[in-house]
């Protein structure tokens, strides 16, 4: 039996469109999933952030464990599923983010109501950078939400830059495809 994970070591946040995000609309899907996977007790708590995320049109919700055992850690494998469920419920794009605070890993998922999930997993600085890019905000603002520090001297290596370039190209191709389909329909 593996030791229980400490609730302070993990974070799961959902970035939802501020125009439609209401706690009562997204709380039920989160509770259903927590119950289904038999996760430790948790609540979905809005994060009152009056900075760049609010200005960019996002409302942030955090899965907050109600015990020392981490519900966020239990949700790590379900971030994509829950992100897509919330996107369908809110009829808008939602981004889910899981971070292992003591480790150096993170997992993100972006999903729209009619789109499949776009996911990324990797080192924390790279994942926070990708999240900031997707949300169109600064990485420093995101790291404050998680109460983790972004290293001042973090510099992506050649592999990180290569992957970032390929992902930018893929996003451009996807946008071209979407524009073409909208025009032709």
């Amino acid at each position: 039996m593996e030791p229980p994970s400490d609730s302070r070591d993990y974070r799961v946040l959902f970035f939802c469109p501020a125009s439609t995000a209401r706690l009562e609309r997204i709380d039920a899907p989160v509770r259903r999933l927590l119950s289904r996977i038999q996760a430790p007790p948790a609540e979905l708590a809005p994060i009152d952030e009056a900075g760049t995320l609010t200005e960019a049109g996002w409302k942030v919700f955090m899965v907050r464990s109600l015990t020392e055992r981490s519900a966020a850690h239990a949700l790590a494998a379900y971030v994509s599923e829950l992100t897509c469920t919330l996107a369908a419920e809110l009829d808008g794009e939602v981004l889910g983010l899981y971070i292992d605070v003591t480790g150096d890993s993170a997992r993100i998922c972006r999903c729209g109501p009619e789109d499949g999930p776009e996911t990324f997993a990797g080192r924390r600085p790279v994942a926070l950078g990708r999240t900031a890019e997707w949300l169109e905000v600064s990485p420093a603002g995101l790291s404050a939400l998680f109460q983790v520090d972004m290293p001042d001297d973090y510099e992506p290596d050649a592999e990180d830059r290569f992957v970032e370039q390929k992902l930018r190209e893929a996003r451009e191709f996807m946008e071209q495809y979407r524009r073409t389909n909208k025009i032709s329909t």
Side-chain angles (χ1 to χ4, degrees):
M1 183 171 143
E2 98 180 42
S5 52
D6 190 324
S7 65
R8 296 167 296 194
D9 294 340
Y10 307 95
R11 305 279 187 281
V12 171
L13 275 77
F14 294 100
F15 300 84
C16 304
S19 60
T20 59
R22 303 292 175 267
L23 183 59
E24 56 275 2
R25 286 185 74 186
I26 63 175
D27 188 53
V30 172
R31 287 192 185 283
R32 279 193 304 269
L33 180 64
L34 288 168
S35 175
R36 188 180 92 214
I37 65 172
Q38 299 177 346
E43 65 181 359
L44 192 62
I47 303 291
D48 293 323
E49 191 274 339
T52 57
L53 288 166
T54 301
E55 292 168 9
W58 297 103
K59 184 145 178 84
V60 184
F61 297 90
M62 182 169 80
V63 175
R64 183 171 294 141
S65 297
L66 299 175
T67 66
E68 285 298 312
R69 290 186 51 230
S70 178
H73 182 64
L75 283 174
Y78 299 92
V79 169
S80 294
E81 177 184 339
L82 195 48
T83 300
C84 291
T85 299
L86 296 177
E89 178 66 33
L90 297 175
D91 196 29
E93 185 175 273
V94 173
L95 189 138
L97 177 56
Y98 162 82
I99 288 194
D100 178 345
V101 176
T102 58
D104 186 29
S105 65
R107 184 174 301 150
I108 57 177
C109 176
R110 175 172 66 171
C111 193
E114 297 172 4
D115 303 327
E118 185 175 354
T119 61
F120 176 83
R123 294 180 14 224
R124 184 175 59 212
V126 178
L128 284 176
R130 171 73 48 79
T131 302
E133 180 184 323
W134 282 352
L135 295 173
E136 299 178 357
V137 299
S138 78
L142 286 178
S143 62
L145 283 176
F146 284 96
Q147 301 159 356
V148 297
D149 296 324
M150 287 285 284
D152 293 332
D153 60 347
Y154 173 73
E155 193 63 39
D157 60 16
E159 185 177 306
D160 290 339
R161 287 189 298 275
F162 175 79
V163 170
E164 289 296 324
Q165 177 60 34
K166 292 301 177 188
L167 288 169
R168 273 192 295 278
E169 291 172 9
R171 280 192 294 277
E172 289 171 13
F173 287 132
M174 182 57 82
E175 287 304 315
Q176 288 174 351
Y177 173 78
R178 287 177 179 157
R179 281 193 302 269
T180 303
N181 280 347
K182 287 182 181 178
I183 293 171
S184 66
T185 56

